Amino acid sequence: MTGTGIGLDRHLLGLKDISDSEIVSILDRAAYWEQQPEKVHRTLAGNFVANMFFENSTRTRFSFEVAEKRLGAEVLNFTAAVSSVQKGESIYDTVRTLESMGIDAGVIRLKPIGVLPELAAKIRVPLINAGDGNNEHPTQALLDLYTMRKHFGSVRGLTVSIIGDILHSRVARSNLWGLTKLGAKVQFCAPPNMRAPELDAPYVSIDEALKADVVMMLRVQLERHTTGLISSAEEYRAQYGLTEERAAKLAPHAIIMHPAPVNRNVEIDDALVEHEKSRIFTQMANGVPIRMAVVERALR
């Protein structure tokens, strides 16, 4: 393994190991990009960015692609299902191949845990984590922080309840680390078999979780379950879903968030997805300026 010469301040592997000031800097830069009236800029003209998705994605991949094109970058899209990965090529060899062809940065989404730091140590271009296993999803958490800051004016002092499949959620992990660095209180609510005891946040009942300023629902990630963790969708909704009856108990100022994709009528009722308290599609919109800030940071 060789050193890359790429500073940690150009990679974005997670929020656990970056400072609160760096997070605020990204949020501020996203606010700058959101305010720009022109849709396309030439800030990154002449730079090639590869979106390397070894795991399926809709919102994250397209959000990155829109962000990169708005910055004027040349964009390459890689999907494992139609690549030499299907012939047995390793993740490292695939990334190394694209690096050899002259890309300037890579956005990468992986299912295996722990591979991304190894790649970052070997690859000579900055890498941006677009989701690695159940470890981190930093740009999702950044857009969540950005959405909260825009709505409340500040993240500091907020109580944020994250409800659902904490065990398999990289969103929960990145949000926990990002929110606490900016002065918010994070609490989890989950069935006993979907908890992650290694994470430093209290677990509360569903009734207590509903008292928060922000109620963030998580998708039940059935694709990551190796054994049946829920008896039925109906039973899960009854015990941990954000139903219309439960939403009626939220504080007047509270907002509903969800990283999507949404399992309607499982973790959240269909009528609440576009409810006046919901910021789900606002989160998706905010993903573009956040990713513009992150990609620009990688190539500065």
Side-chain angles (χ1 to χ4, degrees), residues 103-269:
I103 64 169
D104 298 291
V107 175
I108 187 164
R109 187 181 184 100
L110 298 165
K111 194 169 186 177
I113 301 168
V115 172
L116 186 57
E118 295 178 6
L119 287 174
K122 297 176 182 177
I123 299 299
R124 297 179 181 275
V125 297
L127 295 178
I128 298 169
N129 180 357
D132 65 324
N134 64 358
N135 180 34
E136 282 223 45
H137 194 343
T139 58
Q140 176 66 48
L142 286 168
L143 72 88
D144 292 339
L145 292 167
Y146 186 74
T147 301
M148 293 178 212
R149 193 177 78 163
K150 278 188 69 177
H151 182 80
F152 292 103
S154 173
V155 172
R156 183 168 300 280
L158 294 178
T159 297
V160 180
S161 292
I162 303 179
I163 304 173
D165 189 359
I166 305 296
L167 177 64
H168 298 95
S169 178
R170 49 200 177 201
V171 174
R173 286 165 173 77
S174 288
N175 264 297
L176 170 63
W177 292 315
L179 283 164
T180 52
K181 284 180 180 180
L182 295 195
K185 173 188 174 185
V186 177
Q187 55 191 19
F188 292 148
C189 176
N193 58 1
M194 293 186 191
R195 297 181 179 184
E198 75 277 13
L199 299 179
D200 186 18
Y203 282 85
V204 299
S205 68
I206 186 68
D207 288 336
E208 188 66 26
L210 297 177
K211 298 176 183 176
D213 303 298
V214 178
V215 174
M216 182 183 296
M217 305 305 297
L218 298 177
R219 182 174 65 90
V220 179
Q221 302 188 47
L222 295 174
E223 74 276 18
R224 300 187 196 281
H225 293 189
T226 55
T227 58
L229 293 182
I230 61 173
S231 55
S232 70
E234 293 77 13
E235 179 65 20
Y236 182 87
R237 174 181 176 272
Q239 294 194 33
Y240 292 95
L242 186 59
T243 63
E244 292 184 72
E245 293 75 17
R246 287 188 175 123
K249 300 177 182 176
L250 297 176
H253 68 277
I255 62 172
I256 299 167
M257 298 178 69
H258 190 305
V262 173
N263 292 317
R264 292 179 184 245
N265 298 318
V266 180
E267 69 266 7
I268 183 170
D269 278 7

Side-chain angles (χ1 to χ4, degrees), residues 77-116:
N77 286 310
F78 164 87
T79 303
V82 291
S83 73
S84 290
V85 171
Q86 298 303 313
K87 302 175 185 175
E89 187 171 61
S90 71
I91 292 172
Y92 170 74
D93 285 342
T94 302
V95 177
R96 187 74 177 84
T97 296
L98 290 167
E99 179 195 38
S100 301
M101 292 178 180
I103 64 169
D104 298 291
V107 175
I108 187 164
R109 187 181 184 100
L110 298 165
K111 194 169 186 177
I113 301 168
V115 172
L116 186 57

